[in-house]
Amino acid sequence: MSLIFSRSNSTAIAKKDKRLMAEVNASPLKHFVTAKKKINGIFEQLAAYIKESSAFLEDTHGNGDLDPITTEEQVQEVRGYLSKVAGISEVLARRHMKVTFFGRTSNGKSSVINAMLWDKVLPSGIGHTTNCFLRVEGTDGNDSYLLTEGSEERKSIKTVNQLAHALHQDELLDAGSMVCVMWPKAKCALLRDDLVLVDSPGIDVTTELDSWIDKFCLDADVFVLVANSESTLMQTEKQFFHKVNERLSRPNIFILNNRWDASASEPEYMEEVRRQHMDRCTSFLVDELGVVDRAQAGDRIFFVSAKEVLQARIQKAQGMPEGGGALAEGFQARMFEFQNFERRFESAVKTKFEQHTVRAKQISETLRLIMDSVHIAAQEQRVHCLETREERQDRMEFIDKQLDLLTMDCKRKIKQITEEVERQVSNAMAEEIRRLYVLVDEFHMDFHPSSVVLKELHRHIEEGLGRNMSERCSSAITTALQTTQTEMIEGLKPLLPVAVREQVDSLVPRQRFGLSYDLNCDKLCSDFQEDVGFHFSLGWTMLVNRFLGPKNTRRALMGYNDQVPRPLAITPVSTSMPPFPQGSMTQEELMVSMVTGLASLTSRTSMGIIVVGGVIWKAVGWRLIALSVGLYGLLYVYERLTWTTKAKERAFKRQFVDYASEKLQLIVSYTGSNCSHQVQQELAGTFAQLCQQVDTTRQNLEDEIKEMNAKIELLDSLQSKAKLLRNKAGWLDSELNMFTQQYLHQGR
């Protein structure tokens, strides 16, 4: 008999385990756990995507090298998504599904939990009122135990009575305390799906509803309001869930009208009472809380008897029929209603995750649109930068070509005007040299041959020549120079920016130009030697002088030999002056040689004089000779008496004019070159300043081209990044669509 009993007992246990496993596989909560893991992974990817997008938008918005591509509103909006998704992810990070039961005292909350767990896990029934929050979750071990708030001590419990005794013995527990009941998963199939059930004290025993919500409700996935079908919904119950609805957005709420087995005693009123309860509960969920619409409300309201279900399931677990025992009429309908309530937990997947899925789709779509707008803005700005770079390159190429042409034209003009200046100055100076006697005659000063008089005369000549040259040349040259400068400026203006064109006159200052005629008469005539001694006009020296000139007379009278040395080159007064040319005097030297020979012949002997005198005496007679000698003597006396200071001054000025004219004639070419060089320097300086402005403009264009290249490279990078992030948003959206199709629309 013992063997038969043992075998039958083992068979019963095996059948029970098989039945429990079938219940596990058929459990809708398994579907919830899988969906929760899937949506949790999607939100982790969404959070990382938002973080990457936020950093990208902040960097782009804070980039001062670019025109605005993103707005401050977009940056703030995406930054706000970080905290929102972080909050959702924190809720989804929990691996379990948390179901919290609320209701008034003795409405059967613990009985409902026990019925769902197929066992008496929590104390219930007469004399067992839950005095604190009880959190029931599974443990992989074989022992059940308690964990109280603020303590890690495991209190072992074997039966429900031990649990009830432990709860009542702990004086530190109050209505706001949490006790965790760790029940072996091997004893309860429902706990194998990571389900957490939270029992609560009656909401009519405390006024600390707000603290309860903050402490135990904010992370709940499903709320179950256990009401008493023998009475209507009380204001206390409604007030609590109104507070929950204020703190949470559209909470999942189920309403169980417990103790519906009492309606079996009055079957004639059962449908009417059921309709009244249904109307009131529907109005509460739809009109007052607004958590579901009217079409969905029927799937949230159930009429059950938790005590009957618990009893039937315990009997079934023990191998006895479910309907055995003293069960009220209509038990099967109430059993089916409770099972339907359990199956409707699958709607927790749709209602719990649908809101987060919709929100995630909204966020991903918003981010996709933002990234698309960033991509378009970057593309438009890139096109603008490309056009700007091309325009700057064309402008720079135009400037280079035009500058080359203008440079050649300006060189031609400068050469032309400098040649004209040299010609004008040379002609004017030659004319002034020819009129030098007039300028010398205008010099008035007490005459006495000395260096002081010569110095003043030099100053007078230099000032007079400079003044006369200026009157002849300066006006025409200055006008031509200014005209050429204006042509240069007008020619180069198109190469400058518009803003610079208006300021070019101030950027290229043009001072009043004046030619400087540096004659330097003092040094030029420093070797002048005046001869103001008396010289008889019919004397031998003067006669020879008239025929040969001063230099050759000195050579003839001083007895120079026939080999007359060539004069040495005279060193210029200034190092910048050209050397005086050495003239050839061959004919004059020949004449000097003839006279010198004649003089030498007559001086060798007095016989010649006697012979000549005798010849003349015989030819003309003594009277004519005497008359001639007398006239010669009178002329001598007259010239000697008229050789006064004025005569000396005239001789001095005549000698100086002759000498200075000869010297000044030597520097005519030099002076013309000097003046043309001044004009050339002035025009070259003006052109150089204009070219400097053009170079500045060209450098600015090069800098702008480099800046455009850097912008284009940066915009290419931004476009690629924005496109990548936009595609990521599309990928996340497809993941959310797959999740919706797989877990939310599966039963539709």
Side-chain angles (χ1 to χ4, degrees):
M1 285 294 293
S2 62
L3 182 59
I4 295 173
F5 178 80
S6 176
R7 183 177 298 173
S8 62
N9 191 26
S10 299
T11 302
I13 293 174
K15 289 182 178 179
K16 180 179 179 181
D17 292 341
K18 185 176 181 180
R19 184 174 63 252
L20 290 176
M21 290 303 298
E23 293 292 338
V24 169
N25 294 332
S27 174
L29 296 177
K30 192 73 174 179
H31 186 59
F32 175 88
V33 173
T34 305
K36 194 165 190 176
K37 291 179 180 178
K38 179 66 176 178
I39 194 66
N40 186 63
I42 293 176
F43 265 86
E44 286 180 358
Q45 294 171 339
L46 180 61
Y49 170 69
I50 294 175
K51 186 176 181 181
E52 183 181 6
S53 300
S54 178
F56 169 70
L57 291 177
E58 287 181 4
D59 292 342
T60 303
H61 183 69
N63 194 326
D65 296 333
L66 298 176
D67 295 335
I69 293 179
T70 59
T71 63
E72 181 67 25
E73 291 76 13
Q74 290 175 332
V75 175
Q76 294 298 333
E77 183 179 8
V78 176
R79 189 181 297 164
Y81 290 153
L82 283 173
S83 58
K84 292 179 181 179
V85 173
I88 297 174
S89 299
E90 185 178 353
V91 173
L92 294 175
R94 300 191 313 271
R95 297 180 57 189
H96 56 262
M97 175 182 177
K98 182 178 179 181
V99 183
T100 307
F101 295 81
F102 287 96
R104 286 181 293 143
T105 305
S106 301
N107 275 7
K109 298 184 292 297
S110 301
S111 297
V112 172
I113 294 174
N114 288 335
M116 294 178 67
L117 297 176
W118 289 59
D119 200 352
K120 287 186 177 182
V121 177
L122 301 180
S124 62
I126 300 175
H128 296 291
T129 300
T130 303
N131 62 341
C132 64
F133 280 85
L134 296 177
R135 175 189 175 101
V136 181
E137 59 180 295
T139 178
D140 294 328
N142 296 322
D143 297 328
S144 55
Y145 56 89
L146 292 180
L147 290 175
T148 57
E149 192 173 7
S151 173
E152 296 183 358
E153 180 185 0
R154 296 186 178 186
K155 298 179 180 179
S156 179
I157 53 173
K158 299 293 184 181
T159 64
V160 176
N161 291 331
Q162 289 180 350
L163 174 60
H165 181 74
L167 294 176
H168 284 285
Q169 288 296 320
D170 196 337
E171 298 179 355
L172 298 178
L173 296 177
D174 56 16
S177 300
M178 171 68 80
V179 174
C180 187
V181 180
M182 305 301 296
W183 202 260
K185 292 180 180 180
K187 294 182 180 181
C188 183
L190 194 65
L191 298 179
R192 297 172 190 173
D193 290 327
D194 293 328
L195 180 68
V196 174
L197 303 176
V198 179
D199 193 8
S200 64
I203 56 178
D204 54 341
V205 300
T206 182
T207 59
E208 301 295 330
L209 297 181
D210 290 331
S211 64
W212 282 16
I213 294 172
D214 291 337
K215 194 172 183 180
F216 306 114
C217 300
L218 293 182
D219 60 345
D221 297 305
V222 179
F223 293 89
V224 179
L225 170 57
V226 181
N228 190 349
S229 61
E230 296 179 298
S231 64
T232 186
L233 285 176
M234 303 299 293
Q235 188 62 33
T236 304
E237 296 167 317
K238 291 185 176 182
Q239 181 182 0
F240 174 78
F241 278 95
H242 274 296
K243 289 180 176 294
V244 171
N245 194 43
E246 291 174 0
R247 304 296 296 277
L248 299 175
S249 176
R250 297 173 64 90
N252 275 321
I253 300 176
F254 291 85
I255 298 179
L256 293 183
N257 291 286
N258 196 22
R259 297 182 182 177
W260 186 240
D261 57 322
S263 63
S265 61
E266 298 179 347
E268 65 276 12
Y269 300 111
M270 184 172 63
E271 291 301 322
E272 178 65 20
V273 173
R274 182 185 177 95
R275 184 184 61 79
Q276 292 177 0
H277 281 307
M278 180 65 74
D279 291 343
R280 290 167 183 167
C281 292
T282 300
S283 177
F284 176 60
L285 292 177
V286 176
D287 300 331
E288 296 186 37
L289 297 181
V291 294
V292 293
D293 55 31
R294 199 166 295 276
Q296 297 173 331
D299 295 333
R300 298 299 183 95
I301 304 169
F302 303 93
F303 297 85
V304 299
S305 173
K307 184 177 180 181
E308 285 182 341
V309 174
L310 176 61
Q311 181 180 347
R313 288 182 170 177
I314 291 177
Q315 290 177 353
K316 186 176 180 179
Q318 293 175 352
M320 295 184 292
E322 287 185 350
L327 297 176
E329 185 179 352
F331 161 73
Q332 291 297 335
R334 292 188 293 276
M335 184 68 171
F336 177 77
E337 186 90 355
F338 194 87
Q339 291 173 343
N340 189 30
F341 156 68
E342 291 179 314
R343 282 192 297 270
R344 288 299 174 184
F345 262 110
E346 185 177 356
S347 68
V349 177
K350 299 176 182 178
T351 54
K352 173 66 180 177
F353 296 144
E354 188 170 15
Q355 176 186 355
H356 296 324
T357 303
V358 171
R359 186 58 178 149
K361 286 175 67 67
Q362 292 174 348
I363 292 174
S364 64
E365 178 63 18
T366 301
L367 286 173
R368 188 188 69 79
L369 293 176
I370 290 175
M371 294 306 163
D372 194 49
S373 68
V374 171
H375 183 271
I376 293 174
Q379 186 176 17
E380 291 176 351
Q381 194 171 145
R382 181 179 180 275
V383 171
H384 174 72
C385 289
L386 286 172
E387 293 175 351
T388 302
R389 182 181 68 178
E390 184 177 359
E391 188 271 332
R392 298 294 188 271
Q393 289 174 340
D394 292 343
R395 177 68 177 170
M396 191 164 64
E397 184 178 354
F398 169 77
I399 287 176
D400 290 340
K401 291 181 178 179
Q402 287 299 111
L403 187 60
D404 290 341
L405 295 175
L406 289 171
T407 300
M408 293 184 349
D409 184 60
C410 289
K411 287 182 178 179
R412 180 184 60 79
K413 289 180 178 179
I414 291 174
K415 181 179 180 182
Q416 183 179 352
I417 193 174
T418 52
E419 290 177 351
E420 180 64 21
V421 166
E422 184 174 1
R423 186 188 64 79
Q424 289 183 10
V425 172
S426 297
N427 293 340
M429 188 170 180
E431 183 65 24
E432 287 299 319
I433 291 174
R434 284 193 292 269
R435 298 180 67 254
L436 184 61
Y437 67 93
V438 178
L439 193 61
V440 173
D441 287 343
E442 294 175 354
F443 177 72
H444 300 290
M445 188 176 182
D446 293 340
F447 176 74
H448 51 280
S450 66
S451 59
V452 176
V453 176
L454 275 176
K455 187 174 182 180
E456 289 298 322
L457 180 57
H458 291 161
R459 185 178 63 80
H460 173 75
I461 294 299
E462 187 165 350
E463 291 178 356
L465 283 176
R467 181 174 62 253
N468 295 339
M469 293 282 290
S470 178
E471 291 175 355
R472 283 175 175 270
C473 304
S474 293
S475 178
I477 292 175
T478 302
T479 301
L481 183 141
Q482 291 178 348
T483 301
T484 305
Q485 286 179 326
T486 303
E487 291 175 355
M488 287 181 181
I489 292 174
E490 294 301 322
L492 287 174
K493 263 188 179 181
L495 307 184
L496 302 175
V498 178
V500 180
R501 294 177 195 173
E502 300 173 356
Q503 305 173 3
V504 68
D505 290 331
S506 59
L507 295 174
V508 184
R510 289 180 288 169
Q511 300 178 354
R512 182 172 178 82
F513 176 74
L515 284 174
S516 174
Y517 305 96
D518 188 13
L519 302 177
N520 207 354
C521 289
D522 193 21
K523 292 184 179 180
L524 186 66
C525 301
S526 61
D527 57 348
F528 170 68
Q529 295 292 330
E530 74 278 3
D531 183 9
V532 293
F534 175 74
H535 298 285
F536 182 47
S537 59
L538 296 178
W540 172 253
T541 303
M542 294 302 294
L543 291 174
V544 174
N545 186 45
R546 286 182 183 180
F547 289 103
L548 301 181
K551 295 182 179 179
N552 296 329
T553 300
R554 286 195 298 272
R555 293 174 184 173
L557 297 178
M558 293 177 66
Y560 285 9
N561 57 20
D562 294 338
Q563 300 296 328
V564 181
R566 295 182 179 274
L568 296 176
I570 301 176
T571 305
V573 175
S574 174
T575 56
S576 60
M577 293 184 182
F580 296 155
Q582 298 178 4
S584 176
M585 301 177 65
T586 306
Q587 295 180 357
E588 293 181 357
E589 291 177 356
L590 180 59
M591 183 64 72
V592 169
S593 299
M594 293 172 62
V595 174
T596 304
L598 181 59
S600 299
L601 181 60
T602 58
S603 62
R604 288 193 182 103
T605 175
S606 59
M607 185 58 69
I609 298 174
I610 296 172
V611 172
V612 172
V615 172
I616 294 173
W617 182 278
K618 290 291 184 180
V620 298
W622 66 270
R623 290 184 179 86
L624 185 58
I625 294 174
L627 179 61
S628 298
V629 171
L631 290 175
Y632 187 83
L634 289 174
L635 183 60
Y636 176 82
V637 172
Y638 172 77
E639 288 185 4
R640 189 70 183 84
L641 292 175
T642 56
W643 188 252
T644 60
T645 303
K646 285 292 183 181
K648 293 179 180 180
E649 183 178 355
R650 285 192 300 270
F652 172 80
K653 289 182 177 181
R654 185 174 61 254
Q655 294 173 15
F656 182 81
V657 168
D658 294 338
Y659 181 84
S661 297
E662 182 180 355
K663 292 292 187 180
L664 290 172
Q665 194 67 42
L666 297 175
I667 64 169
V668 169
S669 177
Y670 164 76
T671 305
S673 299
N674 182 36
C675 291
S676 66
H677 182 70
Q678 295 177 45
V679 172
Q680 182 182 8
Q681 288 295 103
E682 180 69 16
L683 292 175
T686 302
F687 186 71
Q689 289 177 327
L690 289 171
C691 288
Q692 185 178 6
Q693 294 300 321
V694 175
D695 289 341
T696 301
T697 302
R698 193 180 185 284
Q699 184 62 45
N700 292 337
L701 289 174
E702 289 182 351
D703 293 341
E704 289 182 17
I705 291 173
K706 290 180 181 178
E707 183 181 352
M708 289 300 107
N709 288 333
K711 278 189 177 183
I712 291 170
E713 184 177 354
L714 180 58
L715 288 169
D716 285 339
S717 175
L718 290 180
Q719 275 188 274
S720 300
K721 186 68 174 179
K723 186 177 181 180
L724 177 63
L725 292 175
R726 183 186 63 184
N727 294 339
K728 280 188 178 181
W731 177 79
L732 284 171
D733 188 69
S734 65
E735 287 290 304
L736 291 167
N737 288 334
M738 290 177 58
F739 175 83
T740 301
Q741 188 66 31
Q742 184 175 358
Y743 295 100
L744 303 185
H745 296 167
Q746 188 180 36
R748 296 183 184 178

